[in-house]
Amino acid sequence: MNDAAVAEIPPADAPGAGLELVPLDQDHPGFRDPAYRARRNEIARLALDYVPGDPAPRVDYTPEENAVWRTVRELLEPRHRDFAVAEYRDSVDMVGLERDGIPQLEDVNERIRPRTGFRMLPVAGLVSAGAFLSFLADRVFLSTQYIRHPSRPLYTPEPDIVHELIGHAASFAHPFYADLSRAFGRAARRASEEGVEQLARLYWFSLEFGAALEDGVAKAYGAGLLSSVDEMDHLRRAELRRFDCDVIAATPFDPTALQPFYFIAPSFVEAVRQIGSWLRRFES
């Protein structure tokens, strides 16, 4: 989720903004790679220069970046066949993300928008939980466009284009995902600051790292799981906790490491039902 660190990207004219548009933590795989950091700033600038209403900017991805994409796609596909919920698998087939290179946001928009109205728009980096969730009410998903560091293709401590497309965009062709995302957005617009924090936790443990039983097997439906080889493998050995929205909304999370546990619902449909019912408390 783009709001995990609740950090704002500085405006283009802010002091020092031209030096480092997307600051990295010292433990980030690309922290000591000046070429990688410069590339991220280059891609972030496209988002900062984006004019609302225009098509999403196109990124001329390098052969190395496309190679990272191919590696992750090839490793995730068999895991999705065995350990992703059927609704996600159906949606992936409808969206048809390219295998050989990183798809462009605008090309993906042309596939998902006619089905559910959702579209992906560029963002330079992390945004606040309230802002990220609120955009969902208008069927807009704020997406980064840079890719994870090539030294660690199987895991990323932050959202990148692999996470955004394989995890989120691939699901937005399915009405269950789209409707639930909009419900989160509408709730965020009505919620207090404390309420937004609860919503962020519920979103994290469901549409980011949610799992559900299918034919007696724990399967992923959250984007953070579905876009990470390491997380998909971790799901098979991690602690599984009973799905309870009240408990989840009060449970903190760490966005920088593999999740130590997952909340597992009786089914994906039941997770959607329970979350939708819980979110209605923000309607009054």
Side-chain angles (χ1 to χ4, degrees):
M1 182 172 63
N2 285 341
D3 56 1
V6 291
E8 299 283 2
I9 296 301
D13 58 354
L19 299 177
E20 188 82 63
L21 294 178
V22 187
L24 300 183
D25 292 334
Q26 291 189 15
D27 58 354
H28 190 284
F31 182 76
R32 292 177 176 81
D33 185 339
Y36 177 76
R37 298 180 73 158
R39 175 62 170 160
R40 282 172 60 109
N41 285 335
E42 177 185 346
I43 294 174
R45 174 58 61 192
L46 294 175
L48 291 174
D49 291 343
Y50 172 71
V51 177
D54 285 354
R58 292 182 176 270
V59 179
D60 185 15
Y61 290 107
T62 67
E64 183 180 49
E65 290 167 337
N66 284 319
V68 173
W69 171 267
R70 287 194 299 272
T71 296
V72 180
R73 279 296 310 265
E74 290 170 1
L75 290 171
L76 280 175
E77 283 188 353
R79 289 166 171 81
H80 288 168
R81 285 195 299 269
D82 294 337
F83 298 107
V85 297
E87 290 83 358
Y88 173 81
R89 300 194 306 271
D90 291 344
S91 190
V92 166
D93 291 342
M94 288 186 281
V95 176
L97 296 175
E98 291 83 351
R99 289 178 170 80
D100 293 337
I102 303 170
Q104 299 291 333
L105 291 188
E106 197 59 31
D107 294 339
V108 175
N109 286 341
E110 292 177 1
R111 302 168 199 172
I112 62 177
R113 196 169 185 177
R115 295 181 180 276
T116 62
F118 259 87
R119 58 196 171 114
M120 315 288 285
L121 291 183
V123 67
L126 300 173
V127 298
S128 70
F132 171 80
L133 293 172
S134 293
F135 270 90
L136 296 175
D138 293 326
R139 297 188 176 93
V140 171
F141 184 91
L142 297 179
S143 172
T144 57
Q145 290 180 282
Y146 48 79
I147 197 164
R148 61 196 61 182
H149 195 268
S151 67
R152 290 201 65 190
L154 306 189
Y155 175 79
T156 175
E158 60 181 346
D160 73 333
I161 193 66
V162 173
H163 171 80
E164 313 289 37
L165 294 183
I166 294 179
H168 289 287
S171 71
F172 281 136
H174 198 289
F176 283 0
Y177 281 96
D179 291 347
L180 189 57
S181 296
R182 287 200 71 206
F184 268 104
R186 291 192 295 268
R189 289 185 172 178
R190 300 185 182 99
S192 63
E193 183 175 343
E194 179 182 356
V196 168
E197 292 178 358
Q198 294 175 333
L199 290 168
R201 296 184 194 114
L202 182 57
Y203 186 95
W204 182 264
F205 286 114
S206 59
L207 287 181
E208 287 290 357
F209 289 94
L213 289 176
E214 185 177 281
D215 300 325
V217 177
K219 297 193 176 183
Y221 67 85
L225 266 165
L226 293 163
S227 61
S228 171
V229 175
D230 285 354
E231 288 280 359
M232 288 292 288
D233 290 345
H234 188 55
L235 173 62
R236 284 173 265 173
R237 57 180 180 270
E239 176 189 354
L240 301 178
R241 298 185 179 182
R242 185 175 67 87
F243 194 88
D244 183 308
C245 290
D246 286 328
V247 172
I248 295 171
T251 302
F253 58 84
D254 180 359
T256 65
L258 289 173
Q259 300 305 294
F261 55 82
Y262 305 96
F263 289 95
I264 186 162
S267 68
F268 177 56
V269 173
E270 180 61 15
V272 172
R273 188 195 69 77
Q274 290 188 31
I275 296 168
S277 176
W278 192 90
L279 292 176
R280 282 195 285 274
R281 66 182 59 190
F282 295 93
E283 293 179 357
S284 57

